[in-house]
C-alpha cells in the first residue's frame, strides 16, 4: 500500500512543494516512480528509480528517499505545476499507485 | 513517436459487456508487452491486465479475473480488453500503456471512459 500525504497542498507560484509517499513494505529505491496528472490527461512520468528525472522533466522536480519513505520536491512552483501527483511502486507485482496529492493554487 | 489511442468506451448497464481497443503506432508492437490500467473518478491509477509480447503470458488483477479478457492483434497493431459482467466498480477511465518491464509506464494513451450505470 502506498500512502501519499498531504491530500491537498495549497501553495503560491514560486513556493516550494514537498510531497510524501510512504510504502507499507520496503521498496528498493530503484523501483519508485512519480507521475504528474492534469485534468483530462494521462499521467506523465516525472521520476523513476526514486530520484532520476525522466526525459524532458525540468530540474525543479527532484525525488528522494529510501526504504519506505519517499519525497517529491518541486523547488519553485510554476503555473503549469499545479496538478495531481502520484507515486508508484514497481518492485512487486501488481504495480500499485498512491491515492495522489493535489497541488493547488493558494 | 509512440502513439496509443484507445476507443470503445461508453455507457453500459450493470451486467453488460464492452470491448475496448487500443491502436498502437510508432514502435515495434510485437516486441513489447502491453498493459491496461484504469482510474476511477478521484482515485489513483490501478493496474488491470498485462499481455506479453508473444501473448503467451497474461496477467489480471484479482478484481477483474474471470470477467475481463486481454488480447492483441499483431496484424493490426492493436490491443483489446473484453469486459463482461460489468459493475459500478468498473466505472473508470481505461488507459492502455506500453509495458517497459522493470520500468514505470512511460507511454500512455489518452484514455477511454467506461461508465457502468442503469
Amino acid at each position: 500500500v502506498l500512502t501519499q500525504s498531504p491530500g491537498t497542498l495549497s501553495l503560491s507560484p514560486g513556493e516550494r512543494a514537498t510531497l510524501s509517499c510512504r510504502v507499507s513494505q520496503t521498496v528498493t529505491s530503484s523501483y519508485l516512480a512519480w507521475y504528474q496528472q492534469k485534468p483530462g490527461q494521462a499521467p506523465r512520468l516525472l521520476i523513476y528509480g526514486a530520484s532520476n528525472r525522466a526525459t524532458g522533466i525540468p530540474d525543479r522536480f527532484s525525488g528522494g528517499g529510501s526504504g519506505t519513505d519517499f519525497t517529491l520536491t518541486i523547488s519553485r512552483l510554476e503555473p503549469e505545476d499545479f496538478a495531481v501527483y502520484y507515486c508508484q511502486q514497481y518492485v512487486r507485482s501488481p504495480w500499485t499507485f498512491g491515492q495522489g496529492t493535489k497541488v493547488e493554487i493558494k | 513517436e509512440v502513439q496509443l489511442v484507445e476507443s470503445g468506451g461508453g455507457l453500459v448497464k450493470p451486467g453488460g459487456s464492452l470491448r475496448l481497443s487500443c491502436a498502437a503506432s510508432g514502435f515495434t508492437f510485437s516486441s513489447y508487452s502491453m498493459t491496461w490500467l484504469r482510474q476511477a473518478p478521484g482515485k489513483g491509477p490501478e493496474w488491470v491486465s498485462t499481455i506479453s509480447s508473444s501473448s503467451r503470458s497474461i496477467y489480471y488483477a484479482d478484481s477483474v479475473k474471470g470477467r475481463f479478457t486481454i488480447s492483441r492483434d499483431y496484424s493490426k497493431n492493436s490491443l483489446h480488453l473484453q469486459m463482461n459482467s460489468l459493475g459500478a466498480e468498473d466505472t473508470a477511465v481505461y488507459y492502455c500503456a506500453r509495458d517497459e518491464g522493470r520500468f514505470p509506464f512511460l507511454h500512455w494513451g489518452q484514455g477511454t471512459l467506461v461508465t457502468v450505470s442503469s
Side-chain angles (χ1 to χ4, degrees), chain B:
Chain B
E1 180 195 0
V2 174
Q3 284 206 334
L4 300 166
V5 180
E6 301 93 338
S7 60
L11 175 64
V12 61
K13 289 182 167 50
S17 299
L18 213 53
R19 185 177 191 244
L20 306 183
S21 297
C22 171
S25 61
F27 64 101
T28 304
F29 182 68
S30 59
S31 296
Y32 288 86
S33 295
M34 296 294 295
T35 288
W36 285 100
L37 303 105
R38 67 184 181 182
Q39 187 172 25
K43 305 287 188 183
E46 176 192 15
W47 170 80
V48 172
S49 180
T50 296
I51 185 168
S52 67
S53 57
S54 65
S55 299
R56 275 197 285 266
S57 297
I58 287 176
Y59 309 93
Y60 296 101
D62 287 344
S63 57
V64 307
K65 204 172 291 183
R67 300 187 299 123
F68 289 13
T69 302
I70 192 172
S71 62
R72 59 194 299 168
D73 183 336
Y74 297 94
S75 67
K76 295 181 180 176
N77 284 356
S78 60
L79 176 71
H80 303 284
L81 187 68
Q82 176 66 43
M83 305 186 297
N84 299 329
S85 302
L86 287 162
E89 68 277 10
D90 299 312
T91 293
V93 175
Y94 285 72
Y95 296 98
C96 67
R98 194 177 81 173
D99 199 285
E100 310 292 342
R102 295 301 286 262
F103 192 81
F105 298 107
L106 183 58
H107 300 288
W108 301 60
Q110 86 288 352
T112 187
L113 176 62
V114 172
T115 304
V116 184
S117 176
S118 55

Side-chain angles (χ1 to χ4, degrees), chain A residues 31 33 35 37 40-43 45 47-48 86 88 90-91 94-95 97-99, chain B residues 37 39 42-47 95 99 101-106 108-111:
Chain A
Y31 302 108
Y35 296 82
Q37 188 176 33
Q41 297 183 16
L45 179 65
I47 300 286
Y48 64 93
Y86 296 98
Q88 180 214 355
Y90 51 104
V91 65
W95 307 158
F97 294 78
Q99 83 281 14
Chain B
L37 303 105
Q39 187 172 25
K43 305 287 188 183
E46 176 192 15
W47 170 80
Y95 296 98
D99 199 285
R102 295 301 286 262
F103 192 81
F105 298 107
L106 183 58
W108 301 60
Q110 86 288 352

Side-chain angles (χ1 to χ4, degrees), chain A residues 67-81:
Chain A
T68 60
D69 290 288
F70 297 88
T71 58
L72 173 70
T73 301
I74 311 171
S75 58
R76 284 177 55 87
L77 283 163
E78 297 288 339
E80 62 268 27
D81 299 336

